[in-house]
Amino acid sequence: MKLLFLYYDIMNLYGETGNMRVLERHLRDQGLEIKIEGKTLGDDIDFSQYDFIYCGSGTERSQKAVLRHLLPYREQLAAVAENGVPMLFTGNSCEMLGKSITDGKGTVHEGLGLLGFTVTELADTRFTGDVIATTELVEAPVVGFINKCSLLQNVDSPLFQLQMGHGNTQDTKEEGFRFHNLLGTHLIGPLLVKNPAVMEWVVNVIGERQEGFSYRTIHYEYEEKAYLTTYTALKQRLNTK
């Protein structure tokens, strides 16, 4: 199977390559033969070749350059999303999947239009902080970190419900979005590294599309301990507020 790491060189602002490195290990431990391909600005892309697609976070300038490169592929990307191909867009890469992005100067950038939400960047405001969230995907609470300058309006299918942290807008505890097997979230950390349960969900969704796959439970002691340490510390902070 083939995994696509989109814009590995300029959409890796917070070390989000860790998501792909750990995912690769987990998939191989399940006995799956995989190949990771990287595509960046100027490359031709055939999204139909891939069993999983990932894009991380970048600067606002990098995001706009990537968006311009992706616009000719939006129908192809929408088709594979409709077909249930697993995808993960973290940080501000998830913003590109909506109808539009209005930057801090008021310029409107056309989005890929896979979903109907719109994005507004704030010129003088950033939202940062740790996150505790829940999701219907997994039983365990999700942890992460958010660093963004944007608001996502009119998200119809939020991914997370927040107990701690900044939501899609200032007046909601809903964060991110889901479309079939496509997940979009501002949670960085990296998300899959910090959350073994979410990693297991992603591995399962990728594997189930392969003939004869049966998920085998494997315990990763250090990943589980790291998650528990982070969650316990954040929960204590939340309870003292």
Side-chain angles (χ1 to χ4, degrees):
M1 67 170 55
K2 294 171 68 175
L3 281 60
L4 175 59
F5 190 172
L6 281 172
Y7 311 102
Y8 56 90
D9 49 350
I10 60 172
M11 298 298 282
N12 184 33
L13 188 60
Y14 302 107
E16 299 297 271
T17 186
N19 279 321
M20 290 298 284
R21 292 175 64 186
V22 178
L23 177 60
E24 177 183 12
R25 175 191 174 190
H26 281 242
L27 290 170
R28 292 192 187 281
D29 287 349
Q30 292 294 325
L32 297 169
E33 296 184 6
I34 65 170
K35 177 182 179 182
I36 297 178
E37 292 187 352
K39 295 288 185 179
T40 191
L41 299 178
D43 291 339
D44 292 327
I45 308 174
D46 179 359
F47 285 102
S48 66
Q49 295 183 37
Y50 300 101
D51 301 284
F52 177 75
I53 298 167
Y54 174 70
C55 189
S57 186
T59 65
E60 280 70 44
R61 178 179 295 181
S62 294
Q63 179 209 53
K64 305 306 183 298
V66 165
L67 180 56
R68 290 191 294 271
H69 184 241
L70 280 177
L71 280 172
Y73 298 98
R74 58 184 166 187
E75 291 184 5
Q76 187 186 139
L77 188 60
V80 295
E82 286 280 3
N83 194 37
V85 173
M87 305 185 200
L88 176 62
F89 286 73
T90 60
N92 64 352
S93 68
C94 74
E95 299 171 3
M96 302 185 297
L97 302 176
K99 291 172 60 177
S100 65
I101 301 173
T102 302
D103 66 26
K105 296 180 179 179
T107 303
V108 179
H109 305 263
E110 182 182 5
L112 297 173
L114 272 69
L115 292 97
F117 66 83
T118 59
V119 179
T120 302
E121 294 178 355
L122 306 178
D124 302 315
T125 303
R126 291 202 76 85
F127 304 100
T128 63
D130 293 304
V131 170
I132 301 176
T134 58
T135 174
E136 63 180 16
L137 302 184
V138 298
E139 292 185 4
V142 174
V143 298
F145 190 83
I146 280 179
N147 183 351
K148 65 173 186 171
C149 65
S150 57
L151 304 174
L152 275 65
Q153 294 94 5
N154 302 314
V155 173
D156 292 330
S157 53
L159 177 59
F160 296 119
Q161 297 289 328
L162 300 184
Q163 300 173 8
M164 171 191 289
H166 300 281
N168 289 328
T169 64
Q170 292 167 298
D171 59 354
T172 183
K173 287 298 184 180
E174 297 176 340
E175 201 285 324
F177 53 85
R178 181 183 179 187
F179 178 65
H180 299 305
N181 288 325
L182 186 160
L183 309 181
T185 177
H186 279 94
L187 266 67
I188 53 178
L191 175 69
L192 299 184
V193 177
K194 298 188 79 165
N195 294 279
V198 180
M199 172 68 79
E200 182 176 325
W201 185 89
V202 171
V203 170
N204 255 305
V205 172
I206 295 172
E208 286 172 354
R209 296 172 62 87
Q210 309 303 309
E211 186 175 352
F213 175 79
S214 178
Y215 183 82
R216 180 168 56 96
T217 300
I218 302 173
H219 292 290
Y220 298 88
E221 180 181 0
Y222 292 112
E223 294 175 25
E224 293 167 359
K225 283 185 176 180
Y227 164 78
L228 185 59
T229 298
T230 300
Y231 174 67
T232 300
L234 294 182
K235 188 69 173 178
Q236 289 176 345
R237 190 195 309 171
L238 181 64
N239 291 338
T240 57
K241 287 186 175 182

